Amino acid sequence: MMRDRQLFFGLLLILTFVSLHKLCYCDDQTVSCESFDEPFGGSWIVSKNGDYEGDEEGNKRITKTTLVEALKDEREDVIQAWYMDDNQEDQRLPHHKDPKEFLSLDKLAELGVLSWRLDADHYETDEELKKIRESGGYSYMDFCEVCPEKLQNYEEKVKSFFEEHLHTDEEIRYCVAGSGYFDVRDRNEAWIRVWVKKGGMIVFPAGIYHRFTVDSDNYIKAMRLFAGGPVWTPYNRPHDHLPARKEYVDNFVNKAFNASA
């Protein structure tokens, strides 16, 4: 009886070790689980290998900084979104609220705004960009540089881009150099600022009200994509009667309100 009990607990110990090993290490060994530098509710913390530091005794412990990095959306290196303040000063400033109120890119997608992080240094041969173009039917492509040296009547143009408007087709912008702000409204009409930097690609659905401005660097070079022949016509607000606007409201505003009701 004693031998059977020892054998049982021995097998249980082996199974426990195997289970924890599988929990802590994926097959490709790209993920590991380690203890945290402070108590964390008894939960395991997952981090990419190398995202931890050794303490004085040589034990591996994830730091708060590396934990945040491990869980971070990689797109946020080139695209960030936050709610804007109500200050009407220079449109090229960040206009963060106090305290800052960021919005995840997944939440932004709930408004129909899609985003990618791509390799802007090799856009000519980027397979990911090729897949996006093929799936969206984006056959047309050109580049637009917004800066004082390349755009006539620069200041007037920047002001006109900042007029709230919509398009009857998608607006696709891929930042290959520089940076700029694209603003959209949430379902409650609050402004969200979307900062797109080199490597960031963003797609606005037809019918969404939005606006654009350069940031304080006064430079952005963007690839513009379009399905078929390009149509850049802006319809300044209000143009709620347009079919594209009604379709957007039905798909991204009313459905959300109905789902929460």
Side-chain angles (χ1 to χ4, degrees):
M1 178 68 70
M2 179 65 68
R3 179 175 296 178
D4 290 342
R5 182 175 297 178
Q6 290 175 340
L7 179 61
F8 171 77
F9 283 109
L11 290 173
L12 181 62
L13 181 63
I14 292 173
L15 289 174
T16 301
F17 174 79
V18 172
S19 298
L20 287 175
H21 179 79
K22 289 184 177 180
L23 174 65
C24 295
Y25 295 95
C26 294
D27 293 337
D28 60 2
Q29 294 186 345
T30 57
V31 176
S32 64
C33 296
E34 301 289 343
S35 58
F36 197 51
D37 58 350
E38 291 182 5
F40 198 72
S43 301
W44 287 89
I45 298 172
V46 180
S47 170
K48 294 181 180 178
N49 279 337
D51 286 343
Y52 44 74
E53 298 176 355
D55 59 18
E56 293 180 356
E57 289 76 27
N59 298 317
K60 295 177 180 178
R61 297 180 181 275
I62 296 176
T63 63
K64 292 179 179 179
T65 301
T66 55
L67 176 63
V68 170
E69 290 297 323
L71 301 179
K72 182 180 178 182
D73 186 335
E74 290 186 351
R75 294 173 297 172
E76 292 181 355
D77 289 334
V78 293
I79 304 172
Q80 295 179 4
W82 58 80
Y83 278 99
M84 299 181 66
D85 63 21
D86 296 325
N87 197 312
Q88 300 299 313
E89 62 180 327
D90 190 350
Q91 66 192 48
R92 296 169 230 215
L93 297 177
H95 285 282
H96 279 289
K97 285 189 169 185
D98 185 16
K100 295 178 180 179
E101 186 176 351
F102 288 93
L103 189 75
S104 74
L105 298 183
D106 289 335
K107 285 294 183 181
L108 198 63
E110 293 178 6
L111 298 174
V113 181
L114 306 180
S115 56
W116 291 264
R117 176 182 176 177
L118 301 174
D119 184 0
D121 290 324
H122 303 93
Y123 60 80
E124 301 95 335
T125 57
D126 188 358
E127 288 297 320
E128 184 67 19
L129 175 59
K130 182 179 179 181
K131 291 177 183 177
I132 293 171
R133 292 189 63 178
E134 289 176 349
S135 63
Y138 305 137
S139 55
Y140 176 88
M141 183 269 286
D142 71 4
F143 290 92
C144 178
E145 282 188 278
V146 181
C147 61
E149 298 78 16
K150 298 290 183 69
L151 189 64
Q152 290 185 349
N153 301 319
Y154 175 73
E155 291 297 337
E156 292 181 14
K157 288 286 188 180
V158 169
K159 289 180 181 179
S160 68
F161 296 155
F162 202 58
E163 292 289 333
E164 187 177 3
H165 62 278
L166 62 79
H167 301 287
T168 56
D169 292 277
E170 287 182 320
E171 178 173 316
I172 304 99
R173 296 292 183 269
Y174 174 20
C175 180
V176 298
S179 54
Y181 296 127
F182 295 86
D183 300 337
V184 298
R185 291 189 184 273
D186 72 0
R187 298 185 181 101
N188 297 311
E189 293 290 297
W191 278 115
I192 299 169
R193 173 144 285 188
V194 185
W195 192 20
V196 182
K197 296 179 280 186
K198 180 182 177 181
M201 182 176 182
I202 195 161
V203 177
F204 299 95
I208 188 173
Y209 282 121
H210 63 285
R211 62 190 184 188
F212 167 79
T213 182
V214 290
D215 56 25
S216 56
D217 288 339
N218 282 297
Y219 179 74
I220 185 172
K221 181 178 180 180
M223 178 187 294
R224 303 188 298 182
L225 300 174
F226 201 87
V231 180
W232 311 123
T233 306
Y235 295 91
N236 288 350
R237 192 168 189 172
H239 268 85
D240 294 346
H241 64 282
L242 292 178
R245 177 60 186 174
K246 292 180 179 179
E247 184 175 349
Y248 175 80
V249 172
D250 287 342
N251 290 334
F252 296 103
V253 180
N254 290 343
K255 280 186 179 180
F257 280 130
N258 292 337
S260 62

